[in-house]
Amino acid sequence: MWTGWINLILGVWTLISGLVSGLQGSVNYIIVGIILAILSFATASKKWQGIISGILGIWLVLSGIVAGLQGGANLIIVGILIIIFGILLGVAKGEKA
């Protein structure tokens, strides 16, 4: 599924953001979280990887709003998880019409 590959790209971006302190702004959390949540919930509703990716997107939005949750470790962990679930979604076979 194409959403899995977009999730993979967002996961790599999130991982890079966790390693580069200049990219760890709250706007980054919120934008990536919203895109991730919308794509994951809207297109992968029957796949458990999509549901988990959507929850991670909501977590990123909350992390962007609550200042105490912003940090490199948060982005690194979420980025790695998004990469894993993005690959799993990307190689998953789609439903036949």
Side-chain angles (χ1 to χ4, degrees):
M1 293 173 85
W2 61 273
T3 55
W5 299 116
I6 293 176
N7 284 359
L8 175 67
I9 293 168
L10 290 173
V12 171
W13 171 254
T14 306
L15 181 64
I16 291 170
S17 298
L19 298 173
V20 179
S21 61
L23 299 174
Q24 296 177 9
S26 61
V27 174
N28 185 22
Y29 282 88
I30 294 170
I31 291 172
V32 172
I34 289 172
I35 294 169
L36 185 65
I38 290 172
L39 284 178
S40 297
F41 285 133
T43 59
S45 61
K46 294 186 179 180
K47 306 263 186 224
W48 63 270
Q49 299 96 332
I51 294 169
I52 293 175
S53 294
I55 293 170
L56 289 171
I58 292 171
W59 172 253
L60 282 177
V61 172
L62 290 175
S63 296
I65 295 170
V66 179
L69 297 175
Q70 296 176 3
N74 186 12
L75 286 173
I76 291 170
I77 292 169
V78 171
I80 290 171
L81 290 173
I82 294 170
I83 289 170
I84 292 169
F85 295 125
I87 291 171
L88 291 173
L89 276 172
V91 298
K93 294 182 181 181
E95 296 180 24
K96 294 183 180 181

